[in-house]
Amino acid sequence: MRLRTPLALLGAALLVLVGPPLLSTGSGSDTGTQIPGLRFMVPNTPGGGYDITARTAAKNAEDAGLTTDIEVFNLPGAGGTVGLTRLVGEHGNGRLAMSMGLGVVGAVHTNRSPKTLADTTPIARLTEEQDIVVVGKNSPYKTIQDLLAAWKKDPGKLPVGGGSSPGGPDHLAPMLMAQAAGIAPSSVNYIPFDGGGELLASILGDKVAFGVSGVGEYLDQIRSGELRLLAVTGPERVPGLDAPTLREAGLDTDFTNWRGIVAPPGLSDAERDKLVGLVRKLHGSPQWRESLKKNGWNDAFLPGEEFGAFLDEQDRRVGSVLKELGL
């Protein structure tokens, strides 16, 4: 997450899922990355960022010959904390991992979850990506300036949808936008959805005035013309997309999201190292590099204990930001 506001919210570049490097000359058995029966939990609905990242990482790992038959399954609920509780309950299970990101960090705070990311085994931070501000093709808002003008007049009448619960990236981004535009965050009519898949239907059905989600989730709909892209939330424009940054639109803020992988607590050193090693080799594979480019993800690989320290920092930062925004 990257936060910059006039209220001196410190910027935090946060990232999305990345996986381990592949040796093109060896198989998973050669490199010690085979984990028979590996399951990859997605703590939200199909079609969202965690889901796309998990399924991409699993396919890339298999195509790279690092391991075989990874099962990806969805366990949505409460902004990812249902999945988190399940993961923590699988103490010592070295054949289970969970796709996650900033949204789970925020959901732990807003849902007052008894289980936190400090209870998990950190495997790796993988990627970073910008959020995007989008509307349906029939929306009256042609530009970000059009949207901001209407939003300022009556914030409560323009519902904004996001694919994360309060405290998650798709919630924090429009709150920071509102603050920078002179709109009280408490007046924003935010409607949470459990992942980008559910949000998309509401944007296309004009159930929300605009939506905020990860850039990689809606590229196909933007390119097909089903969605109109108004702005990107990061510090720079996204190559290949014709949309200004929030700063170019006159808002003194920017924001980025991240994703990563955690595992249950209680793993042996060998089990933890095998999972970290698998992701490390995925991260270096040509398959993963191509997926980064295709999905507009930035490489933000941070393995093991380094990722654990990052999670601790993010937990403190999100709590501070929510308090400062009065949320």
Side-chain angles (χ1 to χ4, degrees):
M1 170 179 59
R2 187 173 193 142
L3 312 176
R4 296 180 187 170
T5 74
L7 296 184
L9 292 176
L10 295 177
L14 310 170
L15 289 135
V16 186
L17 275 156
V18 174
L22 151 74
L23 299 180
S24 59
T25 57
S27 68
S29 58
D30 296 328
T31 60
T33 58
Q34 288 284 347
I35 305 178
L38 178 60
R39 306 182 75 213
F40 206 167
M41 183 197 305
V42 177
N44 63 9
T45 55
Y50 297 156
D51 187 70
I52 293 171
T53 307
R55 294 181 189 279
T56 299
K59 185 177 188 305
N60 288 172
E62 292 177 355
D63 290 348
L66 297 174
T67 192
T68 58
D69 300 324
I70 301 173
E71 178 190 350
V72 180
F73 69 100
N74 298 78
L75 185 63
T81 56
V82 169
L84 175 62
T85 299
R86 162 73 179 276
L87 186 82
V88 174
E90 293 276 347
H91 189 278
N93 185 353
R95 297 173 188 263
L96 179 65
M98 186 178 84
S99 168
M100 50 72 69
L102 176 59
V104 177
V105 178
V108 166
H109 283 270
T110 57
N111 294 330
R112 295 177 174 82
S113 173
K115 304 300 182 184
T116 74
L117 290 165
D119 298 317
T120 70
T121 299
I123 301 302
R125 185 184 69 185
L126 296 176
T127 60
E128 180 185 39
E129 71 171 338
Q130 301 196 35
D131 264 8
I132 52 176
V133 181
V134 292
V135 295
K137 64 180 180 181
N138 297 320
S139 170
Y141 309 118
K142 307 298 184 184
T143 67
I144 186 65
Q145 285 79 14
D146 292 342
L147 174 62
L148 289 173
W151 202 21
K152 289 177 183 179
K153 286 182 180 179
D154 196 341
K157 286 191 176 180
L158 268 71
V160 51
S164 60
S165 62
D170 299 349
H171 173 248
L172 291 175
M175 294 302 164
L176 293 170
M177 286 173 56
Q179 184 184 58
I183 299 168
S186 58
S187 70
V188 173
N189 182 8
Y190 178 76
I191 301 177
F193 295 86
D194 204 352
E198 290 186 0
L199 171 62
L200 177 61
S202 289
I203 299 172
L204 295 177
D206 297 322
K207 303 297 185 184
V208 295
F210 66 104
V212 177
S213 190
V215 63
E217 296 179 55
Y218 295 156
L219 285 176
D220 289 344
Q221 290 78 15
I222 292 169
R223 289 167 178 161
S224 70
E226 290 298 304
L227 291 178
R228 182 182 301 140
L229 176 60
L230 300 185
V232 298
T233 67
E236 299 177 353
R237 291 193 177 208
V238 175
L241 296 180
D242 183 18
T245 67
L246 295 178
R247 291 190 184 279
E248 288 177 310
L251 301 181
D252 188 18
T253 189
D254 59 52
F255 177 92
T256 54
N257 183 25
W258 60 268
R259 297 191 183 99
I261 301 172
V262 293
L267 303 190
S268 67
D269 289 348
E271 289 171 325
R272 180 199 62 210
D273 292 347
K274 189 139 191 176
L275 281 167
V276 173
L278 172 60
V279 177
R280 190 186 296 275
K281 289 194 176 295
L282 172 63
H283 170 250
S285 71
Q287 288 86 351
W288 181 254
R289 295 294 172 180
E290 178 60 29
S291 292
L292 291 176
K293 181 179 179 181
K294 176 182 176 182
N295 290 290
W297 297 336
N298 295 322
D299 183 3
F301 187 60
L302 197 65
E305 293 182 359
E306 295 173 86
F307 181 40
F310 173 79
L311 288 176
D312 290 342
E313 175 199 10
Q314 290 304 303
D315 181 67
R316 292 190 297 270
R317 190 181 301 275
V318 168
S320 175
V321 169
L322 288 171
K323 183 178 180 179
E324 186 166 348
L325 290 175
L327 304 170

